[in-house]
């Protein structure tokens, strides 16, 4: 594609680590690279001009939050996320699925601590975040069907329907350079039968997302990455990887439950990443979703991950902590 390309510039002889470059309509991204998370299309405590000057090339924004406010239609009318934010560098958006399922199971940390129990709805009336309603989380927060997922807005409690097709259309309106298909995010503590069913549903949703994307992908000049699932189950994760990499995606994202802590993630990457380093798979970018602490960055890079996103580094930074290669 003339508007999106990934080139491997150097391959390590000691590991799967590699140096590459992603070319997008709004600039290049050197890999391996960290992707800062600007949830609402902005970084907290630092403006894009400063971040770009510091070498931040790719910004990750969340479709879920942009869907609720200001809305994809407003961003589209403003000329897309680049003109809306005044930043001409590359953006990537997710599908909204992670945040939607977090309404039921909580954050990754909460899900692990509760061992998969549904998140209890609790009032945040005493919180500084007065816009967050107390009736949008918990057991009845999210309704999942084969066709779509329904959840409530944290802003006004209105019901929102999110389908593979509507997620892609929202991301097309937002206008990021790289977009992600809708998938289901089950908690870490889930029985294998339920996990297998979730993986299959994610596959069906991702295929529907891909079909919607391909209707006008050339005109929109957007790339789309699949999301490989399967938890830490070797058979399910391998099945997901082999099936999704057989389809015409522009890159591969690694998502779903990635284990209970750094050690499980390290083991997962150690056996899984060599599966990407075969035939045509090695020619496409690999993105690790939601992980970017120092130890995990090192393990990911030597395993062949090209990019990784997380709000953790910038959260540390605005509280006065700097990440270095030594920790």
């Amino acid at each position: 594609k003339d508007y999106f390309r990934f080139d491997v510039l150097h391959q390590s002889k000691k590991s799967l680590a590699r140096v590459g470059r992603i070319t997008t309509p709004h600039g290049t991204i050197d890999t391996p690279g960290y992707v800062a998370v600007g949830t609402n299309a902005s970084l907290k405590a630092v403006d894009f001009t400063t971040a770009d000057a510091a070498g931040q090339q790719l910004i990750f924004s969340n479709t879920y939050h942009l869907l609720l406010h200001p809305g994809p239609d407003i961003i589209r009318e403003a000329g897309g996320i680049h003109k809306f934010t005044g930043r001409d560098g590359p953006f990537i958006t997710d599908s909204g699925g992670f945040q939607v399922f977090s309404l039921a199971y909580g954050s990754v940390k909460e899900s692990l601590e509760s061992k998969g129990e549904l998140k209890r709805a609790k009032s945040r009336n005493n919180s500084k975040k007065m816009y967050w309603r107390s009736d949008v989380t918990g057991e009845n927060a999210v309704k999942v069907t084969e066709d779509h997922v329904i959840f409530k807005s944290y802003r006004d409690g209105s019901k929102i329907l999110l389908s593979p097709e509507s997620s892609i259309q929202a991301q097309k309106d937002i206008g990021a350079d790289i977009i992600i298909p809708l998938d289901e995010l089950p908690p870490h503590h889930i029985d294998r039968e339920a996990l297998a069913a979730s993986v299959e549903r994610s596959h069906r949703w991702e295929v529907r997302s891909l079909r919607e994307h391909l209707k006008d992908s050339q005109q929109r000049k957007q790339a789309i990455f699949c999301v490989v699932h399967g938890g830490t189950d070797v058979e399910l994760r391998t099945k997901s990887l082999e099936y999704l990499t057989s389809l015409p995606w522009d890159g591969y994202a690694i998502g779903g439950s990635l284990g209970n802590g750094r050690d499980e993630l390290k083991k997962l990457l150690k056996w899984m990443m060599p599966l990407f380093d075969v035939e045509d798979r090695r020619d496409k970018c690999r993105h690790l979703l939601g992980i970017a602490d120092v130890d995990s960055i090192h393990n990911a890079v030597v395993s062949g991950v090209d990019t990784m996103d997380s709000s953790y580094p910038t959260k540390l930074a605005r509280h006065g902590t700097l990440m270095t290669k030594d920790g």
Side-chain angles (χ1 to χ4, degrees), residues 45-246:
V46 61
D47 58 65
F48 283 141
T49 300
T50 304
D52 291 348
Q56 186 61 56
Q57 295 174 311
L58 181 60
I59 298 292
F60 196 109
S61 291
N62 301 115
T63 295
Y64 166 81
H65 292 284
L66 297 177
L67 183 69
L68 300 184
H69 183 77
D73 54 335
I74 299 296
I75 297 176
R76 183 190 66 242
E77 290 172 7
I81 192 169
H82 301 89
K83 291 185 177 179
F84 181 77
T85 60
R87 179 181 188 268
D88 199 39
F91 277 92
I92 178 174
T93 49
D94 62 2
S95 67
F98 175 83
Q99 286 78 17
V100 168
F101 287 101
S102 293
L103 294 175
Y105 295 105
S107 66
V108 173
K109 182 176 183 291
E110 290 170 329
S111 175
L112 290 172
E113 290 177 346
S114 67
K115 295 185 178 181
E117 292 296 320
L118 289 175
K119 185 178 182 180
R120 295 182 179 179
K122 58 183 179 181
S123 173
R124 300 195 182 189
N125 290 337
N126 295 324
S127 169
K128 293 180 181 179
K129 296 182 178 180
M130 297 300 291
Y131 59 82
W132 193 286
R133 297 169 57 92
S134 62
D135 59 345
V136 300
T137 63
E139 186 175 0
N140 299 314
V142 179
K143 180 180 180 181
V144 182
T145 71
E146 178 60 30
D147 185 66
H148 56 252
V149 56
I150 296 176
F151 63 98
K152 289 183 179 180
S153 166
Y154 65 76
R155 298 182 67 85
D156 60 11
S158 61
K159 289 186 177 180
I160 308 293
L161 185 152
L162 189 67
S163 70
E165 293 80 11
S166 67
S167 172
I168 292 298
Q169 285 302 324
Q171 293 183 78
K172 286 179 180 292
D173 286 343
I174 293 168
D177 300 273
I178 304 169
I179 64 177
I180 302 290
L182 183 64
D183 56 345
E184 182 176 21
L185 182 69
H188 175 69
H189 298 282
I190 186 175
D191 65 70
R192 192 176 190 279
E193 183 178 357
L195 177 60
S198 176
V199 171
E200 292 296 333
R201 173 177 284 138
S202 283
H203 288 175
R204 293 191 294 272
W205 282 3
E206 291 190 54
V207 169
R208 286 170 55 189
S209 298
L210 180 60
R211 287 172 179 165
E212 186 69 18
H213 167 69
L214 291 176
K215 289 179 180 179
D216 60 356
S217 59
Q218 291 293 328
Q219 295 89 336
R220 299 277 188 165
K221 298 188 183 302
Q222 292 173 302
I224 186 169
F225 288 13
C226 66
V227 183
V228 175
H229 276 269
T232 56
D233 188 288
V234 174
E235 181 182 353
L236 292 177
R237 180 70 72 165
T238 301
K239 179 181 178 181
S240 181
L241 188 153
E242 291 181 344
Y243 172 65
L244 291 172
T245 56
S246 71

Side-chain angles (χ1 to χ4, degrees), residues 281-317:
R281 296 175 190 169
R282 65 167 57 95
D283 298 328
K284 294 186 178 181
C285 180
R286 311 154 188 165
H287 180 86
L288 183 62
L289 287 162
I291 302 291
D293 59 274
V294 174
D295 290 340
S296 296
I297 288 175
H298 173 78
N299 293 331
V301 170
V302 298
S303 298
V305 169
D306 299 304
T307 54
M308 61 222 75
D309 73 90
S310 174
S311 61
Y312 179 67
T314 49
K315 185 179 295 183
L316 284 179

